[in-house]
Amino acid sequence: MSPSTPSSVVTAGVASGWRALPPSLRAALGLAVSVVIAGLVSIALRQDSSWDLMNYHYYNAWAFVHARHGIDWAPAQLQSFYSPFLDLPFYAMVAADLPPRAIAFALAIPTGVAWYCFARIATRLFAPLEVAVRRPAIVAALALGVTAPMSVSLIGTTMNDWYVAALVLGAAWAVVRAPVPSIKAAAVAGFLVGAGAGLKLTGSIYAVGLAAALFLTGDGGWRARWRRGIVASIAIALAFALTAGPWMLLQFERYGNPLFPYYNDVFRSPWADPVSFSATRFGPQSWREWIGFPFVLLWRLEGFVAEPEFRDARPALLYALAIAAAVWRRPSRVVVDRRWRFLAVFLVASLAAWALLYRIFRYLVPLELLGAAFIVLFVVRWVPSRRAAWVLVGVFVLAVVTSKYPTWWRQRFEDHFLTVRLPPVEAGALVLLVAPEPMSYVLPSFPADARFVGLVSNFNDPWRRNRLQATIAAAIAEHRGPLYSLAMPPGHRVGDDALAAVGLERAACTSIRTNLRASPLELCRVRRR
């Protein structure tokens, strides 16, 4: 008996035992393993301390739970008006003072779900390959996908992009799991994508991708494709109405713009300036820049498609391989079937919608994973079977060693997720936030009768002429209790000009210290001039 026989027998026994389990149990175990691994990775990456968390993820959920509309006015800047629904679980965990590592683990649950769905997709995509190539292809696709820099950097953060990714990849799995997607599969996929778009509006790009892919690909002729596309579109609209509708209705009733303050050049709400407030200042700004966009990502590391430094060779690799595949046609062992065509159209259409609307790379987490599968597809199409595994290892090593992982300014864990040391604040205070910095995370620590207004923010200030600024000015003028200003960094008299514009000036100042990186903050007593 050879030395390898016992291990071979054990491996075969484990595989046989795994296949003997009921499919539902295998699925549950696979999902559980994915979630546990994601949770452990989240803990290893340390606690989230991102700009978005400090600016609005914590405050918005607190404000929703405590019905702060009409009491506070935009203390979380433009983002004060975002839907708080995805942030409620995070707020509940912090409010319950759960251990920070437990919170980090829980925030990674959507990542585990997305990984599981992607693993099922990759397994199904590469199933037709011969065994010698199939296993390396599946492993390589998973390895390239789950180690993508932006995807990894977002694990366990409050930015909620993994929620969208989990729903989108679940939708993709619903479509590709069968040789021909049923009407039911199209409806499920549409509902999942619509829910993702409704909970986080940046997920709307995947509604475009799914509809385009179902309308343009699939067996059964154009009538069958159109039936699936129409059913999915109806499901998208229904799910979007259920998840986004209540908040959009509130926004319309309050401000006359269901997407307030976005697209205010269209809705013309008097509460804000008539501008779009779009994110298209990021990314390429001309068609010439778009042509080489994936390669630009290799050297433009900061402020291009992400706030922190970020580099990933995967988009450039996929782009180059796709061009080569279009130009250099040769026989292939891989049959590009309906599943691959569906995912190709889905990826391209979603990317086109992203280019028109957002251009912030972290919104592309589902495409990072699916793009990894296409990189592997192009490699195994051209490389001989005996060399495929080694070439895939080389591609993976190249991608990893050239990556620059965004940090999102994480920090070490402490005894509590959030600690705020607040100096004494008088009853009935009105606190004016006078700097466009992420400060609203400290506001729930103030006395319950305090009110907060964003006097200076990333979309409003005392020199504007809109209803929001008029409301803020009236609140200041009519307030009869103590007035405070909140700014950072301390000692730089940040916001003095804004205070002067509303007839105020600083008096005595002190500091608010927290365990998050936007600390200390300067709290000043303010008096009328």
Side-chain angles (χ1 to χ4, degrees):
M1 181 179 293
S2 67
S4 63
T5 301
S7 61
S8 301
V9 171
V10 170
T11 302
V14 170
S16 177
W18 174 257
R19 287 191 296 269
L21 294 174
S24 59
L25 181 57
R26 291 204 304 269
L29 289 173
L31 178 59
V33 169
S34 295
V35 168
V36 169
I37 294 174
L40 294 176
V41 171
S42 178
I43 292 172
L45 290 171
R46 303 182 301 164
Q47 178 177 311
D48 182 17
S49 185
S50 63
W51 191 95
D52 287 9
L53 184 159
M54 294 182 292
N55 186 55
Y56 73 96
H57 284 299
Y58 186 61
Y59 169 81
N60 280 9
W62 173 81
F64 178 76
V65 169
H66 292 87
R68 301 289 297 188
H69 174 69
I71 300 173
D72 302 343
W73 294 106
Q77 310 193 69
L78 179 150
Q79 292 82 5
S80 302
F81 306 98
Y82 286 7
S83 168
F85 298 147
L86 280 178
D87 295 320
L88 293 174
F90 166 66
Y91 168 71
M93 290 187 289
V94 176
D97 198 24
L98 295 185
R101 288 175 178 81
I103 295 174
F105 188 99
L107 289 173
I109 291 174
T111 303
V113 174
W115 283 355
Y116 172 76
C117 293
F118 178 55
R120 299 296 298 268
I121 291 169
T123 301
R124 187 59 54 91
L125 290 174
F126 295 109
L129 293 176
E130 57 188 282
V131 175
V133 181
R134 182 195 314 148
R135 290 175 180 171
I138 294 171
V139 171
L142 295 178
L144 278 171
V146 303
T147 60
M150 190 59 71
S151 300
V152 170
S153 74
L154 294 169
I155 297 173
T157 69
T158 56
M159 286 181 276
N160 296 328
D161 296 293
W162 274 110
Y163 280 103
V164 175
L167 292 166
V168 168
L169 290 169
W173 167 238
V175 174
V176 305
R177 63 184 302 180
V180 178
S182 63
I183 292 295
K184 180 180 178 182
V188 169
F191 194 88
L192 291 174
V193 168
L199 291 169
K200 186 174 172 68
L201 293 180
T202 57
S204 60
I205 62 175
Y206 301 110
V208 175
L210 178 66
L214 287 174
F215 277 117
L216 298 177
T217 67
D219 299 327
W222 69 267
R223 287 187 177 86
R225 292 198 298 270
W226 274 74
R227 279 196 297 270
R228 291 191 288 265
I230 290 171
V231 167
S233 299
I234 293 172
I236 289 170
L238 176 61
F240 186 85
L242 291 173
T243 53
W247 186 254
M248 292 177 69
L249 180 60
L250 275 177
Q251 295 296 87
F252 183 76
E253 291 176 347
R254 293 169 176 175
Y255 307 110
N257 176 350
L259 300 172
F260 186 82
Y262 290 107
Y263 299 105
N264 209 44
D265 54 337
V266 176
F267 291 100
R268 298 281 172 165
S269 166
W271 286 89
D273 294 347
V275 297
S276 64
F277 296 107
S278 71
T280 53
R281 67 185 184 278
F282 289 94
Q285 300 299 313
S286 70
W287 66 268
R288 292 181 180 86
E289 291 180 343
W290 278 111
I291 290 177
F293 167 59
F295 299 101
V296 177
L297 292 175
L298 297 175
W299 65 81
R300 290 193 62 179
L301 305 187
E302 187 174 5
F304 182 47
V305 291
E307 295 88 344
E309 288 191 347
F310 155 71
R311 180 174 56 230
D312 188 6
R314 292 165 182 79
L317 185 59
L318 176 59
Y319 188 51
L321 289 172
I323 293 174
V327 174
W328 182 34
R329 296 184 178 274
R330 56 172 294 179
S332 169
R333 75 171 70 85
V334 182
V335 177
V336 180
D337 61 9
R338 191 270 314 167
R339 296 181 176 97
W340 285 107
R341 292 193 297 273
F342 164 82
L343 291 175
V345 174
F346 174 78
L347 192 153
V348 172
S350 299
L351 189 61
W354 172 83
L356 288 172
L357 294 173
Y358 298 116
R359 306 178 193 172
I360 296 176
F361 206 86
R362 64 183 174 87
Y363 301 157
L364 296 179
V365 170
L367 302 189
E368 283 191 298
L369 273 69
L370 294 176
F374 278 94
I375 291 173
V376 173
L377 168 68
F378 290 130
V379 171
V380 300
R381 285 187 69 184
W382 296 326
V383 175
S385 299
R386 65 183 182 278
R387 298 178 182 172
W390 290 108
V391 173
L392 290 172
V393 169
V395 169
F396 173 73
V397 171
L398 174 66
V400 170
V401 299
T402 57
S403 293
K404 174 70 175 179
Y405 288 76
T407 64
W408 300 111
W409 306 283
R410 292 180 187 257
Q411 62 183 50
R412 63 185 179 86
F413 290 108
E414 297 182 3
D415 293 336
H416 305 279
F417 194 98
L418 175 60
T419 302
V420 177
R421 293 192 291 275
L422 188 73
V425 175
E426 294 185 42
L430 179 64
V431 182
L432 313 177
L433 285 76
V434 297
E437 300 292 342
M439 301 185 292
S440 70
Y441 73 99
V442 304
L443 304 185
S445 299
F446 277 73
D449 62 354
R451 299 178 61 197
F452 313 101
V453 298
L455 184 61
V456 177
S457 70
N458 56 14
F459 88 118
N460 207 54
D461 56 57
W463 299 276
R464 310 282 177 128
R465 294 294 180 265
N466 56 53
R467 189 171 175 182
L468 177 60
Q469 184 51 44
T471 301
I472 290 172
I476 295 170
E478 296 168 3
H479 187 71
R480 293 297 173 260
L483 290 163
Y484 293 86
S485 70
L486 187 64
M488 63 175 295
H492 289 71
R493 306 196 68 84
V494 175
D496 273 5
D497 52 348
L499 290 170
V502 293
L504 302 174
E505 62 182 6
R506 280 185 172 89
C509 295
T510 186
S511 294
I512 300 175
R513 296 190 177 274
T514 81
N515 65 323
L516 299 189
R517 64 182 180 86
S519 176
L521 291 74
E522 185 176 63
L523 181 68
C524 298
R525 186 64 189 267
V526 175
R527 62 193 175 202
R528 301 187 191 276
R529 303 180 70 175

